[in-house]
Amino acid sequence: MAGSHAAFIAAGMGATVTVVTEPEVLRRISQQLGSRVRTVFSTRDAIEALCRRADLVVATVLVPGAAAPS
């Protein structure tokens, strides 16, 4: 949820937003935010290329069953 919220807020502020993740999440993000964000399937090459030209990178990770950091 943290990544989705960051994308939503950034897009609302007029930023160019690219979301990189797995296909199921990409479909959900695309349905929620539509053309306000670009979605890209997560591969090592995609992440490397996008990070090289990004002004800001927001990274979030879900570890099922793990406690959120405090």
Side-chain angles (χ1 to χ4, degrees), residues 16-54:
T16 301
V17 177
T18 302
V19 175
V20 182
T21 189
E22 60 189 45
E24 180 182 317
V25 177
L26 292 177
R27 282 189 287 279
R28 181 175 48 81
I29 295 289
S30 185
Q31 289 174 348
Q32 290 174 343
L33 302 177
S35 64
R36 292 186 288 176
V37 299
R38 177 177 168 222
T39 56
V40 175
F41 178 68
S42 180
T43 65
R44 179 181 293 263
D45 290 339
I47 293 168
E48 183 177 337
L50 290 165
C51 285
R52 288 183 186 271
R53 64 177 191 248

Side-chain angles (χ1 to χ4, degrees), residues 1-17:
M1 291 306 297
S4 298
H5 288 187
F8 179 78
I9 291 168
M13 295 175 69
T16 301
V17 177

Side-chain angles (χ1 to χ4, degrees), residues 52-68:
R52 288 183 186 271
R53 64 177 191 248
D55 292 323
L56 174 69
V57 175
V58 175
T60 60
V61 176
L62 171 65
V63 179

